[in-house]
Amino acid sequence: MSEKVDIKSLNFKELENFIEELGEKKFRAKQLYEWMHVHLARDYDEMKNIPKSLKEKLGESAEYVSLKQRDCQISKEDGTRKYLFELSDGNFVESVMMRYEHGISVCVSSQVGCKMGCRFCASTLDGWLRNLTPSEILDQIYSIQKHSGERVSHVVVMGTGEPLDNFDNLLKFIALLTDEKGLNLSQRNITVSTCGIVPRIYDLAKEHLQITLALSLHASSQEKRLALMPIANKYDIHEVLDACDFYFKETGRRMSYEYSLIAGQNDRDEDAKELGEFFSHKNCHINLIPVNPIKERDYKSSSKEAVFAFKNKLEKYGINVTIRREMGRDIDGACGQLRRRHMEESHS
Ligand code: SAH
C-alpha cells in the first residue's frame, strides 16, 4: 500500500496536481485549499461544497493533519496560553500564544524533542524523536486561531526543536503560512530562532526571505558558549557570527541575538564588555532573557537589578537592547516544560 499524501503540507500547485491525479477537476483544489488554509477546517466533514465522493477518495489517499488539543493553560496575569497538542502518532508538542500590543503572537515547535543539548533547556532533556511535518507546524497556529477565535499576526519558531535541523519542512511551512491564498502572514512577522547551524544559516540567507533570524548566542566567548551549548563544539562562535553577518548582508534583515542571563555565569561585567565591544558597530538587536530555571538543572536567573544593569552596560556601546517580558509566569514557563510534565505524569 502506498503512503498517504499529507494534504495540508502541499502547496497550491502540488494540490492541483494531486487533485488531477485523483481524476477530479482543478477547481476542487482551490476549494480544498481554502477550506484548509483560510477556513482552517478541522476535517473533511466541515467542507460543505466538497462532494461526498471526493471526500471518500481523499479519506483513502490523503492524511488530514489536525492536532488534538490535550491541554490549554491560560495565565491569569497576562492571558498567555500554553497549548499541548497530540500528534497522530501519539507524540506531544507544545505551543504558546501571547498577547502583545501589536497583536497575537504564537510560538511553535519544529521537532518532537531536540538533539541540541543546550544545558539550560527543558526541550532537549529526553533527546530528539522526529521532525515535524510542515502541516504539523502549521496546524499549531491554525488550532490556536480556531480555538481562541483571535487572528494570529506574528509567529516565532522558538518552541521545542531546532528549526534549521528541519530545514526543508521549515521552508515549506513558511511558504504555506505566508501564501496569499492562505493565512497570508507577512514574512516580516515571522521569526526563526536557531542555536547556530552554520551551513543552514547560509542556505537560509540565500532564500532571500524577509523573516527575522534570531541567533541564540548566550555567551560572549567561544569558551563560555561551549559550557552552555554543545553545538559550539561543531561551529566556533566566530563562524556563527560571520554567518549572521552574511544573513544581514544578503537579506537586509537586522539580526536578533538572544542572550539568556544566568546568574554568575554570563551576566558579569566582563561579559557585558566583551559583548559590547563586539556588537558596538553592528546594526543588530540583543534580546536579554532572564533564564527560566528548570528543575533538572541548577542554573539561577540573574536578579532584576542585574538584568537592568547588563542592559545599561550594553546600551553604553550604542547597542539596541530589549529585555524579554516574562509572560505566563503562573503557568508552566520554560520551553518544553508542559510537554515534560505531561510525559512524567503519564509514566507515573
Ligand atoms: N532551537 C532554537 C529554538 C528553540 S529555543 C534555538 O536554540 O534558538 C528558543 C530560545 O529559548 C533560545 O534562545 C533558547 O536558547 C532559549 N531557552 C531555552 N530554554 C531556556 C530557559 N530555560 N530559559 C531561558 N531561555 C531558554
Side-chain angles (χ1 to χ4, degrees), residues 194 196 198 201-202 205 213-217 225 237-251 253-257 278-279 282-284:
T194 179
V198 168
I201 295 178
Y202 284 99
L213 182 63
L215 175 79
S216 298
L217 185 60
R225 196 164 188 259
I237 192 167
H238 294 102
E239 277 180 78
V240 183
L241 291 167
D242 284 350
C244 293
D245 285 346
F246 181 79
Y247 187 86
F248 176 53
K249 268 198 226 110
E250 199 68 15
T251 63
R253 297 292 291 161
R254 190 176 74 158
M255 278 298 304
S256 209
Y257 295 94
F278 185 82
F279 285 108
K282 288 191 193 281
N283 180 7
C284 69

PDB file of all heavy atoms in Angstrom, residues 194 196 198 201-202 205 213-217 225 237-251 253-257 278-279 282-284:
ATOM      1  N   THR A 194      17.591  30.091  16.026  1.00  0.00           N
ATOM      2  CA  THR A 194      18.489  28.936  15.853  1.00  0.00           C
ATOM      3  C   THR A 194      19.625  28.960  16.863  1.00  0.00           C
ATOM      4  O   THR A 194      20.077  30.026  17.281  1.00  0.00           O
ATOM      5  CB  THR A 194      19.093  28.903  14.427  1.00  0.00           C
ATOM      6  OG1 THR A 194      19.980  27.783  14.330  1.00  0.00           O
ATOM      7  CG2 THR A 194      19.870  30.170  14.103  1.00  0.00           C
ATOM      8  N   GLY A 196      22.412  27.969  15.947  1.00  0.00           N
ATOM      9  CA  GLY A 196      23.568  28.318  15.135  1.00  0.00           C
ATOM     10  C   GLY A 196      24.127  27.186  14.293  1.00  0.00           C
ATOM     11  O   GLY A 196      25.278  26.798  14.443  1.00  0.00           O
ATOM     12  N   VAL A 198      25.613  26.533  11.216  1.00  0.00           N
ATOM     13  CA  VAL A 198      26.216  27.487  10.274  1.00  0.00           C
ATOM     14  C   VAL A 198      25.840  27.259   8.793  1.00  0.00           C
ATOM     15  O   VAL A 198      25.382  28.186   8.129  1.00  0.00           O
ATOM     16  CB  VAL A 198      27.745  27.553  10.499  1.00  0.00           C
ATOM     17  CG1 VAL A 198      28.446  28.302   9.380  1.00  0.00           C
ATOM     18  CG2 VAL A 198      28.019  28.206  11.845  1.00  0.00           C
ATOM     19  N   ILE A 201      22.403  28.453   8.055  1.00  0.00           N
ATOM     20  CA  ILE A 201      22.206  29.909   8.101  1.00  0.00           C
ATOM     21  C   ILE A 201      22.533  30.489   6.721  1.00  0.00           C
ATOM     22  O   ILE A 201      21.811  31.336   6.198  1.00  0.00           O
ATOM     23  CB  ILE A 201      23.079  30.565   9.199  1.00  0.00           C
ATOM     24  CG1 ILE A 201      22.613  30.076  10.578  1.00  0.00           C
ATOM     25  CG2 ILE A 201      23.005  32.095   9.119  1.00  0.00           C
ATOM     26  CD1 ILE A 201      23.428  30.617  11.756  1.00  0.00           C
ATOM     27  N   TYR A 202      23.613  29.988   6.098  1.00  0.00           N
ATOM     28  CA  TYR A 202      23.954  30.444   4.738  1.00  0.00           C
ATOM     29  C   TYR A 202      22.843  30.051   3.756  1.00  0.00           C
ATOM     30  O   TYR A 202      22.435  30.849   2.922  1.00  0.00           O
ATOM     31  CB  TYR A 202      25.300  29.855   4.291  1.00  0.00           C
ATOM     32  CG  TYR A 202      26.478  30.557   4.949  1.00  0.00           C
ATOM     33  CD1 TYR A 202      27.112  30.011   6.061  1.00  0.00           C
ATOM     34  CD2 TYR A 202      26.933  31.782   4.465  1.00  0.00           C
ATOM     35  CE1 TYR A 202      28.171  30.668   6.678  1.00  0.00           C
ATOM     36  CE2 TYR A 202      28.002  32.443   5.069  1.00  0.00           C
ATOM     37  CZ  TYR A 202      28.607  31.884   6.175  1.00  0.00           C
ATOM     38  OH  TYR A 202      29.640  32.540   6.779  1.00  0.00           O
ATOM     39  N   ALA A 205      19.893  32.324   4.236  1.00  0.00           N
ATOM     40  CA  ALA A 205      20.163  33.669   3.702  1.00  0.00           C
ATOM     41  C   ALA A 205      19.927  33.679   2.194  1.00  0.00           C
ATOM     42  O   ALA A 205      19.342  34.624   1.655  1.00  0.00           O
ATOM     43  CB  ALA A 205      21.601  34.066   4.025  1.00  0.00           C
ATOM     44  N   LEU A 213      15.860  36.498  11.592  1.00  0.00           N
ATOM     45  CA  LEU A 213      16.614  35.370  12.137  1.00  0.00           C
ATOM     46  C   LEU A 213      17.136  35.768  13.507  1.00  0.00           C
ATOM     47  O   LEU A 213      17.706  36.853  13.676  1.00  0.00           O
ATOM     48  CB  LEU A 213      17.788  35.016  11.209  1.00  0.00           C
ATOM     49  CG  LEU A 213      18.622  33.817  11.658  1.00  0.00           C
ATOM     50  CD1 LEU A 213      17.802  32.529  11.669  1.00  0.00           C
ATOM     51  CD2 LEU A 213      19.844  33.633  10.740  1.00  0.00           C
ATOM     52  N   ALA A 214      16.890  34.912  14.489  1.00  0.00           N
ATOM     53  CA  ALA A 214      17.397  35.162  15.839  1.00  0.00           C
ATOM     54  C   ALA A 214      18.445  34.096  16.150  1.00  0.00           C
ATOM     55  O   ALA A 214      18.201  32.906  15.938  1.00  0.00           O
ATOM     56  CB  ALA A 214      16.259  35.087  16.846  1.00  0.00           C
ATOM     57  N   LEU A 215      19.602  34.528  16.603  1.00  0.00           N
ATOM     58  CA  LEU A 215      20.626  33.562  16.988  1.00  0.00           C
ATOM     59  C   LEU A 215      20.658  33.459  18.515  1.00  0.00           C
ATOM     60  O   LEU A 215      20.754  34.465  19.213  1.00  0.00           O
ATOM     61  CB  LEU A 215      22.013  33.992  16.494  1.00  0.00           C
ATOM     62  CG  LEU A 215      23.107  33.035  16.995  1.00  0.00           C
ATOM     63  CD1 LEU A 215      23.160  31.766  16.161  1.00  0.00           C
ATOM     64  CD2 LEU A 215      24.469  33.699  17.041  1.00  0.00           C
ATOM     65  N   SER A 216      20.615  32.231  19.011  1.00  0.00           N
ATOM     66  CA  SER A 216      20.762  32.010  20.440  1.00  0.00           C
ATOM     67  C   SER A 216      22.243  32.063  20.759  1.00  0.00           C
ATOM     68  O   SER A 216      22.974  31.104  20.509  1.00  0.00           O
ATOM     69  CB  SER A 216      20.184  30.641  20.818  1.00  0.00           C
ATOM     70  OG  SER A 216      18.813  30.628  20.523  1.00  0.00           O
ATOM     71  N   LEU A 217      22.689  33.184  21.276  1.00  0.00           N
ATOM     72  CA  LEU A 217      24.116  33.405  21.491  1.00  0.00           C
ATOM     73  C   LEU A 217      24.526  32.980  22.899  1.00  0.00           C
ATOM     74  O   LEU A 217      25.378  32.117  23.081  1.00  0.00           O
ATOM     75  CB  LEU A 217      24.425  34.894  21.241  1.00  0.00           C
ATOM     76  CG  LEU A 217      25.887  35.303  21.289  1.00  0.00           C
ATOM     77  CD1 LEU A 217      26.708  34.566  20.252  1.00  0.00           C
ATOM     78  CD2 LEU A 217      26.008  36.818  21.080  1.00  0.00           C
ATOM     79  N   ARG A 225      30.581  29.861  25.667  1.00  0.00           N
ATOM     80  CA  ARG A 225      29.438  29.318  24.922  1.00  0.00           C
ATOM     81  C   ARG A 225      29.478  27.788  24.951  1.00  0.00           C
ATOM     82  O   ARG A 225      28.453  27.122  25.074  1.00  0.00           O
ATOM     83  CB  ARG A 225      29.464  29.851  23.485  1.00  0.00           C
ATOM     84  CG  ARG A 225      28.160  29.670  22.741  1.00  0.00           C
ATOM     85  CD  ARG A 225      28.080  30.532  21.503  1.00  0.00           C
ATOM     86  NE  ARG A 225      26.757  30.481  20.920  1.00  0.00           N
ATOM     87  CZ  ARG A 225      26.434  29.751  19.864  1.00  0.00           C
ATOM     88  NH1 ARG A 225      27.341  29.031  19.250  1.00  0.00           N
ATOM     89  NH2 ARG A 225      25.186  29.748  19.407  1.00  0.00           N
ATOM     90  N   ILE A 237      32.159  30.119  17.701  1.00  0.00           N
ATOM     91  CA  ILE A 237      31.336  31.327  17.825  1.00  0.00           C
ATOM     92  C   ILE A 237      31.614  32.322  16.680  1.00  0.00           C
ATOM     93  O   ILE A 237      30.690  32.962  16.167  1.00  0.00           O
ATOM     94  CB  ILE A 237      31.545  31.977  19.222  1.00  0.00           C
ATOM     95  CG1 ILE A 237      30.492  33.055  19.496  1.00  0.00           C
ATOM     96  CG2 ILE A 237      32.942  32.565  19.365  1.00  0.00           C
ATOM     97  CD1 ILE A 237      30.441  33.496  20.960  1.00  0.00           C
ATOM     98  N   HIS A 238      32.872  32.404  16.248  1.00  0.00           N
ATOM     99  CA  HIS A 238      33.175  33.369  15.177  1.00  0.00           C
ATOM    100  C   HIS A 238      32.594  32.949  13.834  1.00  0.00           C
ATOM    101  O   HIS A 238      32.139  33.785  13.066  1.00  0.00           O
ATOM    102  CB  HIS A 238      34.693  33.605  15.073  1.00  0.00           C
ATOM    103  CG  HIS A 238      35.212  34.271  16.295  1.00  0.00           C
ATOM    104  ND1 HIS A 238      35.888  33.587  17.278  1.00  0.00           N
ATOM    105  CD2 HIS A 238      35.075  35.547  16.736  1.00  0.00           C
ATOM    106  CE1 HIS A 238      36.166  34.421  18.265  1.00  0.00           C
ATOM    107  NE2 HIS A 238      35.693  35.611  17.962  1.00  0.00           N
ATOM    108  N   GLU A 239      32.586  31.636  13.602  1.00  0.00           N
ATOM    109  CA  GLU A 239      31.948  31.138  12.370  1.00  0.00           C
ATOM    110  C   GLU A 239      30.468  31.469  12.367  1.00  0.00           C
ATOM    111  O   GLU A 239      29.887  31.829  11.342  1.00  0.00           O
ATOM    112  CB  GLU A 239      32.038  29.604  12.328  1.00  0.00           C
ATOM    113  CG  GLU A 239      33.312  29.005  11.830  1.00  0.00           C
ATOM    114  CD  GLU A 239      33.183  27.482  11.882  1.00  0.00           C
ATOM    115  OE1 GLU A 239      32.531  26.905  10.998  1.00  0.00           O
ATOM    116  OE2 GLU A 239      33.724  26.875  12.833  1.00  0.00           O
ATOM    117  N   VAL A 240      29.828  31.316  13.546  1.00  0.00           N
ATOM    118  CA  VAL A 240      28.386  31.568  13.643  1.00  0.00           C
ATOM    119  C   VAL A 240      28.109  33.055  13.424  1.00  0.00           C
ATOM    120  O   VAL A 240      27.195  33.431  12.677  1.00  0.00           O
ATOM    121  CB  VAL A 240      27.836  31.146  15.032  1.00  0.00           C
ATOM    122  CG1 VAL A 240      26.332  31.346  15.092  1.00  0.00           C
ATOM    123  CG2 VAL A 240      28.170  29.707  15.321  1.00  0.00           C
ATOM    124  N   LEU A 241      28.915  33.897  14.070  1.00  0.00           N
ATOM    125  CA  LEU A 241      28.683  35.335  13.944  1.00  0.00           C
ATOM    126  C   LEU A 241      28.955  35.809  12.508  1.00  0.00           C
ATOM    127  O   LEU A 241      28.252  36.695  12.006  1.00  0.00           O
ATOM    128  CB  LEU A 241      29.535  36.092  14.967  1.00  0.00           C
ATOM    129  CG  LEU A 241      29.061  35.848  16.422  1.00  0.00           C
ATOM    130  CD1 LEU A 241      30.093  36.344  17.426  1.00  0.00           C
ATOM    131  CD2 LEU A 241      27.701  36.493  16.691  1.00  0.00           C
ATOM    132  N   ASP A 242      29.927  35.191  11.836  1.00  0.00           N
ATOM    133  CA  ASP A 242      30.161  35.528  10.416  1.00  0.00           C
ATOM    134  C   ASP A 242      28.940  35.150   9.574  1.00  0.00           C
ATOM    135  O   ASP A 242      28.539  35.892   8.674  1.00  0.00           O
ATOM    136  CB  ASP A 242      31.384  34.760   9.867  1.00  0.00           C
ATOM    137  CG  ASP A 242      32.691  35.359  10.354  1.00  0.00           C
ATOM    138  OD1 ASP A 242      32.655  36.460  10.947  1.00  0.00           O
ATOM    139  OD2 ASP A 242      33.745  34.711  10.151  1.00  0.00           O
ATOM    140  N   ALA A 243      28.374  33.988   9.869  1.00  0.00           N
ATOM    141  CA  ALA A 243      27.188  33.542   9.114  1.00  0.00           C
ATOM    142  C   ALA A 243      26.034  34.525   9.333  1.00  0.00           C
ATOM    143  O   ALA A 243      25.275  34.832   8.402  1.00  0.00           O
ATOM    144  CB  ALA A 243      26.780  32.135   9.550  1.00  0.00           C
ATOM    145  N   CYS A 244      25.915  35.048  10.550  1.00  0.00           N
ATOM    146  CA  CYS A 244      24.852  36.022  10.843  1.00  0.00           C
ATOM    147  C   CYS A 244      25.082  37.326  10.074  1.00  0.00           C
ATOM    148  O   CYS A 244      24.137  37.937   9.569  1.00  0.00           O
ATOM    149  CB  CYS A 244      24.775  36.306  12.337  1.00  0.00           C
ATOM    150  SG  CYS A 244      24.232  34.873  13.272  1.00  0.00           S
ATOM    151  N   ASP A 245      26.337  37.748   9.990  1.00  0.00           N
ATOM    152  CA  ASP A 245      26.653  38.944   9.187  1.00  0.00           C
ATOM    153  C   ASP A 245      26.245  38.719   7.738  1.00  0.00           C
ATOM    154  O   ASP A 245      25.707  39.605   7.078  1.00  0.00           O
ATOM    155  CB  ASP A 245      28.165  39.245   9.231  1.00  0.00           C
ATOM    156  CG  ASP A 245      28.571  39.856  10.567  1.00  0.00           C
ATOM    157  OD1 ASP A 245      27.668  40.280  11.330  1.00  0.00           O
ATOM    158  OD2 ASP A 245      29.787  39.897  10.845  1.00  0.00           O
ATOM    159  N   PHE A 246      26.524  37.512   7.255  1.00  0.00           N
ATOM    160  CA  PHE A 246      26.156  37.178   5.875  1.00  0.00           C
ATOM    161  C   PHE A 246      24.630  37.252   5.711  1.00  0.00           C
ATOM    162  O   PHE A 246      24.129  37.771   4.719  1.00  0.00           O
ATOM    163  CB  PHE A 246      26.668  35.770   5.521  1.00  0.00           C
ATOM    164  CG  PHE A 246      26.349  35.357   4.114  1.00  0.00           C
ATOM    165  CD1 PHE A 246      27.120  35.816   3.044  1.00  0.00           C
ATOM    166  CD2 PHE A 246      25.274  34.516   3.850  1.00  0.00           C
ATOM    167  CE1 PHE A 246      26.811  35.443   1.737  1.00  0.00           C
ATOM    168  CE2 PHE A 246      24.965  34.140   2.546  1.00  0.00           C
ATOM    169  CZ  PHE A 246      25.736  34.604   1.491  1.00  0.00           C
ATOM    170  N   TYR A 247      23.910  36.742   6.703  1.00  0.00           N
ATOM    171  CA  TYR A 247      22.438  36.777   6.634  1.00  0.00           C
ATOM    172  C   TYR A 247      21.944  38.218   6.498  1.00  0.00           C
ATOM    173  O   TYR A 247      21.075  38.519   5.680  1.00  0.00           O
ATOM    174  CB  TYR A 247      21.816  36.122   7.883  1.00  0.00           C
ATOM    175  CG  TYR A 247      20.314  35.991   7.759  1.00  0.00           C
ATOM    176  CD1 TYR A 247      19.751  34.883   7.131  1.00  0.00           C
ATOM    177  CD2 TYR A 247      19.457  36.989   8.220  1.00  0.00           C
ATOM    178  CE1 TYR A 247      18.385  34.773   6.969  1.00  0.00           C
ATOM    179  CE2 TYR A 247      18.088  36.892   8.055  1.00  0.00           C
ATOM    180  CZ  TYR A 247      17.561  35.780   7.428  1.00  0.00           C
ATOM    181  OH  TYR A 247      16.197  35.680   7.249  1.00  0.00           O
ATOM    182  N   PHE A 248      22.530  39.099   7.276  1.00  0.00           N
ATOM    183  CA  PHE A 248      22.130  40.520   7.228  1.00  0.00           C
ATOM    184  C   PHE A 248      22.468  41.126   5.863  1.00  0.00           C
ATOM    185  O   PHE A 248      21.633  41.796   5.241  1.00  0.00           O
ATOM    186  CB  PHE A 248      22.831  41.284   8.361  1.00  0.00           C
ATOM    187  CG  PHE A 248      22.578  42.770   8.343  1.00  0.00           C
ATOM    188  CD1 PHE A 248      21.280  43.272   8.302  1.00  0.00           C
ATOM    189  CD2 PHE A 248      23.640  43.661   8.376  1.00  0.00           C
ATOM    190  CE1 PHE A 248      21.048  44.649   8.288  1.00  0.00           C
ATOM    191  CE2 PHE A 248      23.409  45.037   8.356  1.00  0.00           C
ATOM    192  CZ  PHE A 248      22.105  45.530   8.313  1.00  0.00           C
ATOM    193  N   LYS A 249      23.681  40.851   5.371  1.00  0.00           N
ATOM    194  CA  LYS A 249      24.104  41.414   4.077  1.00  0.00           C
ATOM    195  C   LYS A 249      23.210  40.923   2.953  1.00  0.00           C
ATOM    196  O   LYS A 249      22.818  41.662   2.068  1.00  0.00           O
ATOM    197  CB  LYS A 249      25.542  40.983   3.772  1.00  0.00           C
ATOM    198  CG  LYS A 249      26.568  41.994   4.261  1.00  0.00           C
ATOM    199  CD  LYS A 249      27.901  41.756   3.559  1.00  0.00           C
ATOM    200  CE  LYS A 249      29.027  41.776   4.577  1.00  0.00           C
ATOM    201  NZ  LYS A 249      29.636  40.477   4.808  1.00  0.00           N
ATOM    202  N   GLU A 250      22.885  39.657   3.019  1.00  0.00           N
ATOM    203  CA  GLU A 250      22.155  39.019   1.925  1.00  0.00           C
ATOM    204  C   GLU A 250      20.671  39.406   1.913  1.00  0.00           C
ATOM    205  O   GLU A 250      20.063  39.505   0.861  1.00  0.00           O
ATOM    206  CB  GLU A 250      22.312  37.497   2.095  1.00  0.00           C
ATOM    207  CG  GLU A 250      22.049  36.650   0.903  1.00  0.00           C
ATOM    208  CD  GLU A 250      23.056  36.801  -0.236  1.00  0.00           C
ATOM    209  OE1 GLU A 250      24.157  37.356  -0.040  1.00  0.00           O
ATOM    210  OE2 GLU A 250      22.701  36.361  -1.339  1.00  0.00           O
ATOM    211  N   THR A 251      20.089  39.594   3.103  1.00  0.00           N
ATOM    212  CA  THR A 251      18.629  39.814   3.172  1.00  0.00           C
ATOM    213  C   THR A 251      18.265  41.241   3.584  1.00  0.00           C
ATOM    214  O   THR A 251      17.111  41.638   3.453  1.00  0.00           O
ATOM    215  CB  THR A 251      17.991  38.881   4.234  1.00  0.00           C
ATOM    216  OG1 THR A 251      18.527  39.235   5.520  1.00  0.00           O
ATOM    217  CG2 THR A 251      18.258  37.422   3.947  1.00  0.00           C
ATOM    218  N   ARG A 253      17.922  42.108   6.489  1.00  0.00           N
ATOM    219  CA  ARG A 253      17.151  41.978   7.745  1.00  0.00           C
ATOM    220  C   ARG A 253      18.124  42.036   8.924  1.00  0.00           C
ATOM    221  O   ARG A 253      19.077  41.254   9.002  1.00  0.00           O
ATOM    222  CB  ARG A 253      16.387  40.651   7.780  1.00  0.00           C
ATOM    223  CG  ARG A 253      15.358  40.513   6.704  1.00  0.00           C
ATOM    224  CD  ARG A 253      14.207  41.450   6.884  1.00  0.00           C
ATOM    225  NE  ARG A 253      13.380  41.101   8.032  1.00  0.00           N
ATOM    226  CZ  ARG A 253      12.532  41.936   8.629  1.00  0.00           C
ATOM    227  NH1 ARG A 253      12.413  43.185   8.213  1.00  0.00           N
ATOM    228  NH2 ARG A 253      11.813  41.526   9.652  1.00  0.00           N
ATOM    229  N   ARG A 254      17.832  42.926   9.838  1.00  0.00           N
ATOM    230  CA  ARG A 254      18.675  43.092  11.024  1.00  0.00           C
ATOM    231  C   ARG A 254      18.653  41.830  11.877  1.00  0.00           C
ATOM    232  O   ARG A 254      17.578  41.268  12.124  1.00  0.00           O
ATOM    233  CB  ARG A 254      18.107  44.278  11.822  1.00  0.00           C
ATOM    234  CG  ARG A 254      18.978  44.737  12.934  1.00  0.00           C
ATOM    235  CD  ARG A 254      18.375  45.966  13.582  1.00  0.00           C
ATOM    236  NE  ARG A 254      17.213  45.608  14.395  1.00  0.00           N
ATOM    237  CZ  ARG A 254      16.755  46.361  15.379  1.00  0.00           C
ATOM    238  NH1 ARG A 254      17.307  47.524  15.640  1.00  0.00           N
ATOM    239  NH2 ARG A 254      15.705  45.980  16.081  1.00  0.00           N
ATOM    240  N   MET A 255      19.820  41.397  12.318  1.00  0.00           N
ATOM    241  CA  MET A 255      19.876  40.181  13.145  1.00  0.00           C
ATOM    242  C   MET A 255      19.396  40.461  14.561  1.00  0.00           C
ATOM    243  O   MET A 255      19.544  41.555  15.082  1.00  0.00           O
ATOM    244  CB  MET A 255      21.333  39.686  13.257  1.00  0.00           C
ATOM    245  CG  MET A 255      21.859  38.875  12.115  1.00  0.00           C
ATOM    246  SD  MET A 255      20.990  37.329  11.843  1.00  0.00           S
ATOM    247  CE  MET A 255      21.104  36.487  13.423  1.00  0.00           C
ATOM    248  N   SER A 256      18.846  39.428  15.139  1.00  0.00           N
ATOM    249  CA  SER A 256      18.461  39.475  16.544  1.00  0.00           C
ATOM    250  C   SER A 256      19.328  38.448  17.280  1.00  0.00           C
ATOM    251  O   SER A 256      19.545  37.346  16.766  1.00  0.00           O
ATOM    252  CB  SER A 256      16.990  39.051  16.601  1.00  0.00           C
ATOM    253  OG  SER A 256      16.352  39.619  17.650  1.00  0.00           O
ATOM    254  N   TYR A 257      19.866  38.824  18.437  1.00  0.00           N
ATOM    255  CA  TYR A 257      20.668  37.878  19.225  1.00  0.00           C
ATOM    256  C   TYR A 257      19.989  37.658  20.565  1.00  0.00           C
ATOM    257  O   TYR A 257      19.656  38.621  21.255  1.00  0.00           O
ATOM    258  CB  TYR A 257      22.091  38.420  19.431  1.00  0.00           C
ATOM    259  CG  TYR A 257      22.846  38.540  18.132  1.00  0.00           C
ATOM    260  CD1 TYR A 257      22.862  39.746  17.427  1.00  0.00           C
ATOM    261  CD2 TYR A 257      23.509  37.447  17.587  1.00  0.00           C
ATOM    262  CE1 TYR A 257      23.533  39.849  16.207  1.00  0.00           C
ATOM    263  CE2 TYR A 257      24.174  37.545  16.375  1.00  0.00           C
ATOM    264  CZ  TYR A 257      24.183  38.747  15.690  1.00  0.00           C
ATOM    265  OH  TYR A 257      24.835  38.841  14.483  1.00  0.00           O
ATOM    266  N   PHE A 278      32.135  43.820  20.907  1.00  0.00           N
ATOM    267  CA  PHE A 278      31.910  43.081  19.657  1.00  0.00           C
ATOM    268  C   PHE A 278      30.783  43.690  18.809  1.00  0.00           C
ATOM    269  O   PHE A 278      30.893  43.826  17.601  1.00  0.00           O
ATOM    270  CB  PHE A 278      31.611  41.602  19.945  1.00  0.00           C
ATOM    271  CG  PHE A 278      31.503  40.813  18.680  1.00  0.00           C
ATOM    272  CD1 PHE A 278      32.651  40.345  18.046  1.00  0.00           C
ATOM    273  CD2 PHE A 278      30.272  40.580  18.078  1.00  0.00           C
ATOM    274  CE1 PHE A 278      32.576  39.664  16.842  1.00  0.00           C
ATOM    275  CE2 PHE A 278      30.184  39.900  16.871  1.00  0.00           C
ATOM    276  CZ  PHE A 278      31.344  39.440  16.264  1.00  0.00           C
ATOM    277  N   PHE A 279      29.687  44.058  19.485  1.00  0.00           N
ATOM    278  CA  PHE A 279      28.500  44.485  18.729  1.00  0.00           C
ATOM    279  C   PHE A 279      28.384  46.003  18.547  1.00  0.00           C
ATOM    280  O   PHE A 279      27.431  46.466  17.930  1.00  0.00           O
ATOM    281  CB  PHE A 279      27.222  43.961  19.409  1.00  0.00           C
ATOM    282  CG  PHE A 279      27.006  42.479  19.191  1.00  0.00           C
ATOM    283  CD1 PHE A 279      27.181  41.574  20.225  1.00  0.00           C
ATOM    284  CD2 PHE A 279      26.647  41.999  17.938  1.00  0.00           C
ATOM    285  CE1 PHE A 279      26.994  40.206  20.021  1.00  0.00           C
ATOM    286  CE2 PHE A 279      26.457  40.641  17.729  1.00  0.00           C
ATOM    287  CZ  PHE A 279      26.633  39.736  18.769  1.00  0.00           C
ATOM    288  N   LYS A 282      27.623  47.249  15.088  1.00  0.00           N
ATOM    289  CA  LYS A 282      26.756  46.431  14.239  1.00  0.00           C
ATOM    290  C   LYS A 282      25.302  46.878  14.357  1.00  0.00           C
ATOM    291  O   LYS A 282      24.862  47.279  15.432  1.00  0.00           O
ATOM    292  CB  LYS A 282      26.854  44.952  14.631  1.00  0.00           C
ATOM    293  CG  LYS A 282      28.165  44.324  14.237  1.00  0.00           C
ATOM    294  CD  LYS A 282      28.067  42.827  14.421  1.00  0.00           C
ATOM    295  CE  LYS A 282      29.401  42.143  14.361  1.00  0.00           C
ATOM    296  NZ  LYS A 282      29.910  41.936  13.016  1.00  0.00           N
ATOM    297  N   ASN A 283      24.588  46.787  13.244  1.00  0.00           N
ATOM    298  CA  ASN A 283      23.167  47.114  13.263  1.00  0.00           C
ATOM    299  C   ASN A 283      22.416  45.841  13.663  1.00  0.00           C
ATOM    300  O   ASN A 283      22.111  45.007  12.820  1.00  0.00           O
ATOM    301  CB  ASN A 283      22.765  47.576  11.855  1.00  0.00           C
ATOM    302  CG  ASN A 283      21.309  47.942  11.781  1.00  0.00           C
ATOM    303  OD1 ASN A 283      20.610  47.984  12.796  1.00  0.00           O
ATOM    304  ND2 ASN A 283      20.832  48.215  10.574  1.00  0.00           N
ATOM    305  N   CYS A 284      22.176  45.683  14.955  1.00  0.00           N
ATOM    306  CA  CYS A 284      21.524  44.454  15.403  1.00  0.00           C
ATOM    307  C   CYS A 284      20.692  44.727  16.644  1.00  0.00           C
ATOM    308  O   CYS A 284      20.601  45.863  17.109  1.00  0.00           O
ATOM    309  CB  CYS A 284      22.571  43.377  15.697  1.00  0.00           C
ATOM    310  SG  CYS A 284      23.563  43.772  17.144  1.00  0.00           S
TER     311      CYS A 284
END
